[in-house]
PDB file of all heavy atoms in Angstrom:
ATOM      1  N   HIS A  78      50.005 -10.520  87.605  1.00 97.00           N
ATOM      2  CA  HIS A  78      48.971 -11.511  87.809  1.00 97.00           C
ATOM      3  C   HIS A  78      47.885 -11.440  86.752  1.00 97.00           C
ATOM      4  O   HIS A  78      47.430 -12.467  86.224  1.00 97.00           O
ATOM      5  CB  HIS A  78      48.392 -11.503  89.235  1.00 97.00           C
ATOM      6  CG  HIS A  78      49.471 -11.794  90.252  1.00 97.00           C
ATOM      7  ND1 HIS A  78      49.420 -11.235  91.532  1.00 97.00           N
ATOM      8  CD2 HIS A  78      50.615 -12.461  90.145  1.00 97.00           C
ATOM      9  CE1 HIS A  78      50.473 -11.687  92.190  1.00 97.00           C
ATOM     10  NE2 HIS A  78      51.229 -12.406  91.382  1.00 97.00           N
ATOM     11  N   ILE A 102      45.597  -6.547  93.973  1.00 96.00           N
ATOM     12  CA  ILE A 102      46.351  -7.780  94.221  1.00 96.00           C
ATOM     13  C   ILE A 102      45.433  -8.957  94.440  1.00 96.00           C
ATOM     14  O   ILE A 102      45.807 -10.118  94.264  1.00 96.00           O
ATOM     15  CB  ILE A 102      47.337  -7.591  95.424  1.00 96.00           C
ATOM     16  CG1 ILE A 102      48.311  -8.748  95.511  1.00 96.00           C
ATOM     17  CG2 ILE A 102      46.552  -7.413  96.714  1.00 96.00           C
ATOM     18  CD1 ILE A 102      49.224  -8.933  94.306  1.00 96.00           C
ATOM     19  N   LEU A 103      44.144  -8.703  94.829  1.00 97.00           N
ATOM     20  CA  LEU A 103      43.170  -9.762  95.139  1.00 97.00           C
ATOM     21  C   LEU A 103      43.733 -10.715  96.130  1.00 97.00           C
ATOM     22  O   LEU A 103      44.106 -10.342  97.212  1.00 97.00           O
ATOM     23  CB  LEU A 103      42.648 -10.408  93.832  1.00 97.00           C
ATOM     24  CG  LEU A 103      42.099  -9.392  92.770  1.00 97.00           C
ATOM     25  CD1 LEU A 103      41.667 -10.144  91.516  1.00 97.00           C
ATOM     26  CD2 LEU A 103      41.002  -8.568  93.405  1.00 97.00           C
ATOM     27  N   ASP A 104      43.836 -12.099  95.780  1.00 95.00           N
ATOM     28  CA  ASP A 104      44.383 -13.037  96.741  1.00 95.00           C
ATOM     29  C   ASP A 104      45.857 -13.281  96.608  1.00 95.00           C
ATOM     30  O   ASP A 104      46.480 -14.108  97.267  1.00 95.00           O
ATOM     31  CB  ASP A 104      43.626 -14.357  96.697  1.00 95.00           C
ATOM     32  CG  ASP A 104      44.049 -15.178  95.461  1.00 95.00           C
ATOM     33  OD1 ASP A 104      44.733 -14.733  94.603  1.00 95.00           O
ATOM     34  OD2 ASP A 104      43.647 -16.361  95.409  1.00 95.00           O
ATOM     35  N   GLY A 105      46.517 -12.449  95.772  1.00 93.00           N
ATOM     36  CA  GLY A 105      47.977 -12.618  95.538  1.00 93.00           C
ATOM     37  C   GLY A 105      48.374 -13.545  94.465  1.00 93.00           C
ATOM     38  O   GLY A 105      49.568 -13.808  94.246  1.00 93.00           O
ATOM     39  N   SER A 106      47.402 -14.076  93.731  1.00 93.00           N
ATOM     40  CA  SER A 106      47.684 -14.985  92.644  1.00 93.00           C
ATOM     41  C   SER A 106      46.936 -14.571  91.378  1.00 93.00           C
ATOM     42  O   SER A 106      46.200 -13.592  91.375  1.00 93.00           O
ATOM     43  CB  SER A 106      47.284 -16.401  93.036  1.00 93.00           C
ATOM     44  OG  SER A 106      45.844 -16.624  92.913  1.00 93.00           O
ATOM     45  N   SER A 107      47.049 -15.323  90.327  1.00 95.00           N
ATOM     46  CA  SER A 107      46.349 -15.108  89.086  1.00 95.00           C
ATOM     47  C   SER A 107      44.950 -15.795  89.089  1.00 95.00           C
ATOM     48  O   SER A 107      44.147 -15.516  88.225  1.00 95.00           O
ATOM     49  CB  SER A 107      47.104 -15.641  87.869  1.00 95.00           C
ATOM     50  OG  SER A 107      48.259 -14.868  87.702  1.00 95.00           O
ATOM     51  N   LEU A 108      44.725 -16.667  90.058  1.00 96.00           N
ATOM     52  CA  LEU A 108      43.525 -17.490  90.042  1.00 96.00           C
ATOM     53  C   LEU A 108      42.186 -16.665  90.039  1.00 96.00           C
ATOM     54  O   LEU A 108      41.300 -16.981  89.247  1.00 96.00           O
ATOM     55  CB  LEU A 108      43.507 -18.487  91.235  1.00 96.00           C
ATOM     56  CG  LEU A 108      42.391 -19.475  91.222  1.00 96.00           C
ATOM     57  CD1 LEU A 108      42.416 -20.326  89.955  1.00 96.00           C
ATOM     58  CD2 LEU A 108      42.494 -20.405  92.428  1.00 96.00           C
ATOM     59  N   PRO A 109      42.023 -15.571  90.864  1.00 97.00           N
ATOM     60  CA  PRO A 109      40.752 -14.847  90.732  1.00 97.00           C
ATOM     61  C   PRO A 109      40.536 -14.268  89.329  1.00 97.00           C
ATOM     62  O   PRO A 109      39.400 -14.217  88.864  1.00 97.00           O
ATOM     63  CB  PRO A 109      40.903 -13.731  91.772  1.00 97.00           C
ATOM     64  CG  PRO A 109      41.921 -14.227  92.702  1.00 97.00           C
ATOM     65  CD  PRO A 109      42.897 -15.059  91.897  1.00 97.00           C
ATOM     66  N   TYR A 110      41.589 -13.855  88.683  1.00 98.00           N
ATOM     67  CA  TYR A 110      41.538 -13.348  87.271  1.00 98.00           C
ATOM     68  C   TYR A 110      41.053 -14.476  86.338  1.00 98.00           C
ATOM     69  O   TYR A 110      40.173 -14.306  85.547  1.00 98.00           O
ATOM     70  CB  TYR A 110      42.834 -12.675  86.840  1.00 98.00           C
ATOM     71  CG  TYR A 110      43.149 -11.454  87.611  1.00 98.00           C
ATOM     72  CD1 TYR A 110      44.243 -11.454  88.495  1.00 98.00           C
ATOM     73  CD2 TYR A 110      42.393 -10.318  87.464  1.00 98.00           C
ATOM     74  CE1 TYR A 110      44.571 -10.281  89.179  1.00 98.00           C
ATOM     75  CE2 TYR A 110      42.712  -9.164  88.180  1.00 98.00           C
ATOM     76  CZ  TYR A 110      43.799  -9.197  89.092  1.00 98.00           C
ATOM     77  OH  TYR A 110      44.092  -8.026  89.751  1.00 98.00           O
TER      78      TYR A 110
END
Side-chain angles (χ1 to χ4, degrees):
H78 297 153
I102 194 62
L103 305 179
D104 76 351
S106 77
S107 293
L108 188 58
Y110 295 111

